[in-house]
Amino acid sequence: MDRQWRVYAPYRSPFDPCPPTDPKAFIVPPNQYVVFQPKGLRQFAPREALKRGTLWPDLYSPYDPPKGGGQ
């Protein structure tokens, strides 16, 4: 897993009758760690930026659709 993903195990009470669940994963957007735009930040070419949805590669976070087709 890359550094944007975090994993945690949900709390399970010792008296919980349900079977334990698998660990859960979530993504932390990279813009949560950039408090201001530093000078000289790398940039995508305009066409690539439109395709990726951001001008700056350091703020790019790919979206993987859910397994099973979604909807």
Side-chain angles (χ1 to χ4, degrees):
M1 250 185 226
D2 75 45
R3 63 191 174 110
Q4 294 180 6
W5 284 93
R6 306 287 191 268
V7 179
Y8 72 97
Y11 174 75
R12 185 173 185 282
S13 167
F15 305 108
D16 190 356
C18 299
T21 58
D22 293 334
K24 306 290 182 185
F26 63 97
I27 194 164
V28 178
N31 63 356
Q32 300 296 312
Y33 299 106
V34 179
V35 293
F36 62 93
Q37 181 180 337
K39 290 183 180 182
L41 205 56
R42 296 179 301 143
Q43 295 182 353
F44 284 125
R47 187 173 298 275
E48 186 70 16
L50 288 172
K51 188 189 316 182
R52 305 256 183 169
T54 184
L55 182 59
W56 300 281
D58 295 333
L59 298 181
Y60 175 65
S61 178
Y63 171 75
D64 296 326
K67 305 289 187 245
Q71 296 181 0

